[in-house]
């Protein structure tokens, strides 16, 4: 059984699906940390009886903030860290410390459309397909090796909001499935690749 820490900044719908899936999964969410006050995800976690912590980033250097995250995760004996709508860039030091144990979900078919404004850019480019990716986190933003992906069609009349909602729906089954693979040691980060066993 692996202890999981989830970092969030907002509504936490992906956190919600990780919580729902843990009943029959080889992991337990030991701690949810938000860098923003009043994040919807904090209430979801508290309702589920999961420990929560608010660690504000304002007025702190990236290194100081990340050291606080690291200390909280270690105190909770976390084995795997999931980023779920966490809107802060992590320092290289933090990423290296948690390398192979740090995963993220991104709402595009990586390596396409890293960064922000994903759905707007997908629509502007006239793509027929988009999707979501769960990947190991490496220092370069959204560039880590992919563990799992799911695709959705892009419809001609889509707005960024309708496309985001379609992608979010597949995120909700993708993230628990990918976390299960990591928790069961069925995939690991090795020399910059996601290696499956
Ligand atoms: C998701 O679209 C995720 O892919 C992205 O941020 C969003 C978070 O949504 N990284 P939620 O807070 O899990 O509802």
């Amino acid at each position: 059984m692996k202890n999981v820490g989830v970092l969030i900044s907002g509504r936490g719908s992906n956190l919600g699906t990780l919580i729902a899936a843990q009943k029959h999964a080889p992991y337990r969410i030991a701690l949810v940390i938000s860098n923003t006050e009043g994040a919807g995800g904090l209430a979801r976690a508290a309702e589920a009886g999961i420990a929560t912590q608010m660690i504000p980033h304002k007025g702190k250097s990236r290194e100081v903030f990340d050291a606080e995250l690291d200390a909280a995760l270690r105190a909770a004996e976390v084995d795997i860290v999931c980023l779920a709508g966490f809107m802060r860039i992590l320092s290289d030091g933090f990423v290296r410390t948690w390398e192979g144990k740090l995963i993220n979900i991104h709402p595009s078919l990586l390596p396409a459309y890293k960064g922000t404004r994903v759905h707007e850019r997908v629509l502007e480019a006239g793509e027929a397909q988009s999707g979501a990716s769960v990947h190991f986190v490496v220092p370069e933003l959204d560039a880590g090796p992919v563990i799992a992906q799911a695709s959705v069609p892009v419809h001609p009349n889509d707005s960024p909001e309708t496309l985001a909602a379609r992608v979010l729906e597949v995120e909700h089954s993708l993230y628990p499935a990918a976390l299960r693979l990591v928790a069961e040691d069925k995939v690991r980060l090795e020399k910059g690749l996601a290696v499956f066993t």
Side-chain angles (χ1 to χ4, degrees):
M1 188 63 67
K2 297 280 169 67
N3 279 339
V4 170
V6 185
L7 307 190
I8 61 162
S9 300
R11 73 191 153 184
S13 71
N14 277 291
L15 166 67
T17 63
L18 296 180
I19 293 172
Q22 72 174 351
K23 205 169 168 190
H24 305 287
Y27 68 84
R28 286 290 169 270
I29 301 175
L31 178 63
V32 173
I33 302 174
S34 172
N35 65 317
T36 56
E37 214 170 335
L42 285 176
R44 281 179 205 268
E47 256 169 51
I50 297 168
T52 63
Q53 232 173 297
M54 223 287 285
I55 304 184
H57 62 271
K58 276 198 185 138
K60 291 172 195 162
S61 71
R62 207 174 284 292
E63 284 66 29
V64 167
F65 173 66
D66 288 4
E68 290 181 13
L69 289 181
D70 185 74
L73 293 165
R74 280 176 202 286
E77 299 186 347
V78 162
D79 303 300
I80 300 167
V81 179
C82 292
L83 308 183
F86 183 65
M87 301 305 286
R88 294 288 300 168
I89 292 174
L90 293 162
S91 59
D92 288 6
F94 182 94
V95 172
R96 293 228 169 80
T97 304
W98 289 92
E99 200 169 60
K101 294 168 179 164
L102 178 59
I103 64 176
N104 179 44
I105 188 155
H106 182 77
S108 79
L109 292 174
L110 290 173
Y113 302 100
K114 297 169 184 168
T116 56
R117 292 188 61 253
V118 168
H119 307 299
E120 285 86 341
R121 288 187 288 134
V122 165
L123 293 174
E124 279 159 22
E127 301 284 1
Q129 190 174 256
S130 190
S133 309
V134 176
H135 64 94
F136 284 113
V137 175
V138 299
E140 194 188 330
L141 190 68
D142 298 329
V146 168
I147 297 165
Q149 289 184 309
S151 67
V152 299
V154 177
H155 298 324
N157 56 351
D158 263 334
S159 64
E161 291 73 28
T162 58
L163 179 57
R166 195 172 309 117
V167 170
L168 192 64
E169 206 177 312
V170 296
E171 288 184 37
H172 289 165
S173 46
L174 188 69
Y175 212 175
L179 175 56
R180 172 180 278 273
L181 289 175
V182 177
E184 289 176 336
D185 295 317
K186 290 197 169 140
V187 61
R188 61 187 192 282
L189 179 63
E190 210 176 280
K191 293 181 187 149
L193 296 173
V195 176
F196 290 79
T197 42

